[in-house]
Amino acid sequence: MLSQPISVSFDLGGGREVFIETGKLARQADGAVTVRQGNCVILATVVANKDPKEGQDFFPLSVDYQEKFAAAGRIPGSFFKREARLNDYEILTSRLIDRALRPLFPEDYFCDVQVLLSLVSSDAEVLPDSLACLAASAALAVSDIPIKEIISEVRVGRINGQFVINPTRTELESSDLEFIIAATEKNLMMVEGEAKECDEADLIRALELAHDAIRIQIKAQAELRTKKGVTTKRDYKKPEHNEVIRQGVYSFAKDKVYEISRKGSAKHDRSDAYSVLKDELIASFGEEITDADKKLVKKYYEDLKWEVVRNMILEDRIRLDGRKLDEVRPLAMEVDPLPTPHGSSLFTRGETQSLTTVTFGTALDDLLIESAAKSVDSKFYLHYNFPPFSTGEVKMMRGQSRREVGHGNLAMRSLKQMMPKGEYPYTVRVVSDILESNGSSSMATVCAGSLALMDAGVPVPKHVSGVAMGLITREDGKYAILTDILGDEDHLGDMDFKVTGTRDGICGVQMDIKVDGLSMDVMREALEQARKGRLHILDAMYECMPAARPEVKPHAPRMIKLIIDKEFIGAVIGPGGKVIQEIQRETGTTINIEEVGNTGEVSIFSAAKEGLDKAVAWVRGIAAVPQVGDVYEGPVKGIKEFGAFVEFMPGKQGLLHISEISWKRLESMDGLFKEGDMVKVKLVGLDPKTGKFKLSRKALMPRPEGGGRQEAPAEN
């Protein structure tokens, strides 16, 4: 017999009620809830092992969000007709939840934790990703897994100047900014989103409104936990600690770590020096040291480096590579480094480098983005590749990682703000290959992508650049904001904050906060410092490529989009596709036709201008409406005793009556024309009975003297 479920609810605003329920489904999980808004239902479960694996020294959290196609009454389109590996949208949603949850667990908690979320019922207007983190947190809240706090997550949009919490799908289409924000009762934890050049004050306002809405959701989760009777959290095995060894590590290595850190050396030189010191440190404990103690030495050594470098930056205002806190590393960039791609650029910032290409395609190359609720085609997409050699490592190449999906998505969302809309005919693919990495390769991708788009001749109006910010704080209130952080600074900092944008505003944001009590004043200061860093990089980008090329490169394919009346779509395609296949075969083009409202969009794609022009004329001829009085030229298609049939426009024939061939009276058609002859004619009328076109050749000839009109023979 099922137990009686426990539920709570809260209002999102505007009468939109959200229900959280536990105790009915998945009762063997450590924690399980359903979250429902409208017809959207998400099932979240969480299970944690009681003990960590032997030798485990990191926190193994896994989060998987998946949408069941049955939730929207659909069957998957794959060969196996079942849900397979997570798609990019599901991976991105999983990452949003993971990044928000991870800081909730104690630093010494190393037990495996698995969070699984399933969309089991879909609502056409409710976006499930804005509810997924709420569901995951609620599942943890009603379990005995030792989390420190409850969190939640909301989306903020701005529609017609008004901020809206968790806007509907329809509302979001007209929103000029979109941020997903996660927070605890007191602190922001994660921010990700995009905007059409919003200013820093808009972002701050969105964060404040989101935090107010999140507090309501946290209160509901706490109420659910109380109703369920969860009052304690499970105990867990703590990692071993040896104060004697820790003191030995600090006394031997503290000053030496400081000397290495303040030299301002390059990444690999610094890494090598740290490695040599580690070996000397281990040797100082003698040959009798056990493997367990050696592991503790290595752990305390990493803790020491974290502490020394942070204090060095806070006290001495010195960074690992010798830069000032607000200084961007040296920049080098060029466009068109590769001869064959349709657009390319090489962007280097310090020890981070991106080689980026742009490729043009047709509508057949659109990216299908599929979810349970709907499937849409995207004309612009970006792929980000992070090979192991970029960091001097050897790793197995096993396909795209979640990190690569997330970094590529941030760059894509940022550049998308400047992409041409409406009638732009091309599908555009951007690929960023990271060749070197020491801090924020995703921001290098944004800069390289902007340069490559302009190099390709994509009419983007402005450059977009990006910069990664860091923050180091201490309990005494001292803090340091770092511009253009290194990889090591990302690891040891309290905030990783990436901001992209133009000279006029923010286009993209990704932020992870690892510290409690981050004030809005510090956030404003970080945003202003990020703006200055972004503008510095933009100045260099404009020097390299001031504006987009006026047209695509000679070797790039040409494309023209024609808008025709809906009634002509069938004529262009022809019976069984005969006409469109003939056009493509004869002109060497690729043609795609899409019905949009009451019109047809015909995209013609070709590598050769001559073939493109020929196909354009052909389609225009088919779709054109003949105008009485216009002059045309076309081949003779058939000859009868009473005249000739001329194809004066593609697919349109008219009768050139024997009486309209010449001002001279003709007795027969013998020897006048043969099939295939080109004849210039004038459209003089439309037969009211048959609807056939009436053509004249003599109307284009000088009238003979006397102006006499000869009688024409009767039509047979």
Side-chain angles (χ1 to χ4, degrees):
M1 181 178 177
L2 291 177
S3 58
Q4 187 68 24
I6 303 165
S7 67
V8 297
S9 66
F10 62 89
D11 192 340
L12 267 177
R16 297 173 298 159
E17 196 163 11
V18 177
F19 300 87
I20 314 174
E21 183 179 276
T22 188
K24 183 176 181 180
L25 304 180
R27 292 171 298 161
Q28 294 189 44
D30 290 332
V33 303
T34 57
V35 171
R36 176 171 182 167
Q37 179 190 342
N39 290 331
C40 176
V41 181
I42 297 173
L43 170 65
T45 64
V46 57
V47 177
N49 287 343
K50 298 296 190 293
D51 297 302
K53 295 176 182 176
E54 190 68 30
Q56 185 89 329
D57 59 359
F58 65 93
F59 176 41
L61 171 67
S62 64
V63 178
D64 290 299
Y65 168 85
Q66 188 172 45
E67 297 193 348
K68 305 297 184 181
F69 274 64
R74 299 175 61 195
I75 295 175
S78 68
F79 178 80
F80 296 103
K81 300 301 179 187
R82 68 178 298 167
E83 289 81 6
R85 63 184 295 273
L86 303 186
N87 60 36
D88 283 1
Y89 169 73
E90 291 167 326
I91 288 172
L92 293 168
T93 304
S94 300
R95 277 175 53 85
L96 289 173
I97 301 165
D98 184 300
R99 288 160 49 203
L101 294 183
R102 196 169 289 272
L104 300 182
F105 294 85
E107 293 181 3
D108 57 358
Y109 185 69
F110 298 144
C111 297
D112 283 82
V113 177
Q114 185 176 45
V115 180
L116 299 178
L117 301 105
S118 299
L119 177 69
V120 293
S121 181
S122 178
D123 188 306
E125 284 297 319
V126 177
L127 287 156
D129 56 352
S130 56
L131 299 173
C133 188
L134 163 64
S137 176
L140 285 166
V142 298
S143 75
D144 64 348
I145 297 172
I147 56 170
K148 296 183 287 186
E149 295 184 81
I150 299 174
I151 66 165
S152 196
E153 192 174 271
V154 298
R155 173 184 271 107
V156 178
R158 186 171 61 184
I159 297 94
N160 298 324
Q162 299 297 315
F163 287 98
V164 179
I165 300 296
N166 286 1
T168 64
R169 290 183 195 272
T170 302
E171 288 174 333
L172 196 61
E173 290 175 0
S174 59
S175 176
D176 63 355
L177 61 79
E178 174 194 357
F179 297 114
I180 288 187
I181 297 122
T184 65
E185 174 72 27
K186 296 180 179 179
N187 305 301
L188 296 173
M189 304 295 290
M190 187 278 300
V191 180
E192 177 146 348
E194 62 186 77
K196 294 179 174 65
E197 298 180 287
C198 77
D199 58 34
E200 285 71 12
D202 291 333
L203 175 56
I204 293 293
R205 179 61 178 153
L207 295 179
E208 292 173 338
L209 290 172
H211 207 171
D212 291 341
I214 285 170
R215 290 188 179 101
I216 296 172
Q217 301 186 10
I218 290 173
K219 182 179 179 182
Q221 294 178 64
E223 181 184 350
L224 184 70
R225 180 172 61 182
T226 300
K227 283 187 174 183
K228 191 167 186 289
V230 178
T231 56
T232 59
K233 295 296 182 180
R234 73 175 66 161
D235 198 10
Y236 58 94
K237 183 180 179 181
K238 307 294 192 296
E240 293 185 10
H241 176 68
N242 188 314
E243 184 61 25
V244 173
I245 292 178
R246 195 188 78 86
Q247 289 294 339
V249 169
Y250 274 58
S251 62
F252 179 89
K254 185 174 182 179
D255 292 341
K256 296 176 181 178
V257 168
Y258 178 72
E259 288 303 316
I260 294 171
S261 302
R262 65 173 289 122
K263 281 185 177 179
S265 54
K267 173 184 175 180
H268 287 293
D269 293 338
R270 184 169 62 250
S271 178
D272 290 344
Y274 283 144
S275 182
V276 169
L277 177 57
K278 181 170 66 175
D279 293 339
E280 294 173 354
L281 173 62
I282 293 172
S284 71
F285 282 87
E287 296 181 358
E288 297 79 15
I289 187 172
T290 65
D291 289 342
D293 287 345
K294 188 182 293 186
K295 189 173 181 179
L296 284 175
V297 170
K298 293 178 181 179
K299 176 190 180 304
Y300 293 140
Y301 179 60
E302 293 302 318
D303 292 344
L304 174 64
K305 285 197 299 180
W306 185 87
E307 182 180 313
V308 167
V309 174
R310 286 170 61 91
N311 285 332
M312 179 189 77
I313 293 172
L314 287 170
E315 298 295 339
D316 302 337
R317 317 304 274 185
I318 297 174
R319 297 174 66 173
L320 286 169
D321 59 356
R323 279 181 294 149
K324 298 176 183 177
L325 301 188
D326 61 352
E327 185 178 352
V328 177
R329 286 173 287 177
L331 300 169
M333 58 195 78
E334 60 179 290
V335 295
D336 203 21
L338 303 175
T340 304
H342 302 151
S344 60
S345 71
L346 180 66
F347 179 89
T348 307
R349 187 192 63 245
E351 297 168 300
T352 298
Q353 186 178 73
S354 170
L355 178 64
T356 295
T357 59
V358 169
T359 307
F360 292 126
T362 70
L364 300 176
D365 300 304
D366 286 1
L367 175 66
L368 176 64
I369 301 175
E370 193 169 32
S371 65
K374 64 177 183 176
S375 299
V376 295
D377 290 315
S378 175
K379 291 174 60 67
F380 173 67
Y381 47 97
L382 184 150
H383 292 146
Y384 165 99
N385 300 313
F386 192 85
F389 67 76
S390 65
T391 53
E393 297 175 284
V394 177
K395 292 181 180 179
M396 293 296 293
M397 299 285 286
R398 297 193 180 278
Q400 193 178 35
S401 68
R402 289 190 174 193
R403 177 185 179 277
E404 287 172 298
V405 173
H407 281 41
N409 181 66
L410 173 61
M412 183 277 295
R413 296 176 81 172
S414 301
L415 293 172
K416 181 182 68 174
Q417 308 303 322
M418 291 296 111
M419 287 296 291
K421 304 292 192 297
E423 300 305 314
Y424 190 65
Y426 291 104
T427 293
V428 179
R429 181 190 185 219
V430 179
V431 177
S432 171
D433 290 299
I434 302 303
L435 307 185
E436 296 180 40
S437 180
N438 183 16
S440 195
S441 53
S442 62
M443 297 297 93
T445 295
V446 172
C447 300
S450 184
L451 290 165
L453 287 168
M454 284 198 175
D455 177 58
V458 179
V460 290
K462 307 172 189 176
H463 271 308
V464 180
S465 77
V467 64
M469 308 296 294
L471 174 70
I472 296 174
T473 62
R474 203 164 56 193
E475 291 182 357
D476 62 5
K478 203 160 193 175
Y479 66 91
I481 299 171
L482 311 179
T483 298
D484 181 21
I485 57 174
L486 303 171
D488 289 342
E489 292 172 338
D490 184 6
H491 168 70
L492 60 85
D494 298 319
M495 179 177 72
D496 175 16
F497 190 10
K498 300 181 179 74
V499 186
T500 70
T502 67
R503 284 172 169 167
D504 298 315
I506 294 171
C507 292
V509 172
Q510 186 180 87
M511 177 173 64
D512 294 303
I513 302 173
K514 314 164 195 174
V515 64
D516 292 339
L518 179 65
S519 71
M520 283 298 174
D521 288 337
V522 175
M523 178 69 73
R524 289 186 182 91
E525 186 178 340
L527 280 169
E528 176 59 22
Q529 194 166 314
R531 188 185 69 85
K532 292 178 179 178
R534 184 175 85 236
L535 294 178
H536 170 77
I537 298 171
L538 280 170
D539 288 343
M541 291 170 65
Y542 276 106
E543 286 184 16
C544 176
M545 190 80 184
R549 296 186 188 277
E551 60 181 28
V552 299
K553 295 179 181 179
H555 61 275
R558 265 66 177 165
M559 182 182 282
I560 290 180
K561 181 178 285 188
L562 303 177
I563 306 299
I564 64 175
D565 288 338
K566 181 179 178 180
E567 62 182 284
F568 291 114
I569 293 177
V572 175
I573 296 174
K578 180 181 178 181
V579 175
I580 195 170
Q581 290 172 10
E582 182 184 2
I583 299 173
Q584 292 179 115
R585 183 175 59 254
E586 294 295 327
T587 63
T589 58
T590 299
I591 301 176
N592 183 73
I593 302 179
E594 184 179 357
E595 184 178 324
V596 180
N598 292 320
T599 64
E601 292 187 357
V602 184
S603 298
I604 306 175
F605 189 87
S606 176
K609 186 177 186 300
E610 182 181 354
L612 182 70
D613 292 343
K614 186 176 179 181
V616 168
W618 198 326
V619 172
R620 280 178 172 164
I622 295 173
V625 177
Q627 298 293 323
V628 174
D630 285 355
V631 177
Y632 304 93
E633 186 173 16
V636 175
K637 289 295 187 177
I639 300 175
K640 301 291 183 181
E641 61 271 20
F642 53 84
F645 288 98
V646 178
E647 188 178 47
F648 65 98
M649 292 177 65
K652 293 180 175 61
Q653 294 185 22
L655 174 63
L656 176 60
H657 194 270
I658 189 171
S659 65
E660 293 294 330
I661 294 175
S662 171
W663 288 103
K664 180 181 178 181
R665 182 183 178 89
L666 302 175
E667 298 297 334
S668 74
M669 294 292 296
D670 293 343
L672 291 178
F673 302 115
K674 62 180 182 294
E675 289 189 11
D677 284 352
M678 298 299 292
V679 183
K680 184 175 287 188
V681 295
K682 182 177 183 179
L683 178 61
V684 294
L686 190 69
D687 190 306
K689 294 181 179 179
T690 64
K692 293 181 179 180
F693 298 105
K694 298 166 67 174
L695 307 176
S696 174
R697 179 170 173 261
K698 75 179 185 183
L700 301 176
M701 299 176 178
R703 192 180 185 96
E705 291 184 9
R709 181 179 178 87
Q710 300 180 18
E711 185 179 310
E715 182 180 333
N716 293 333

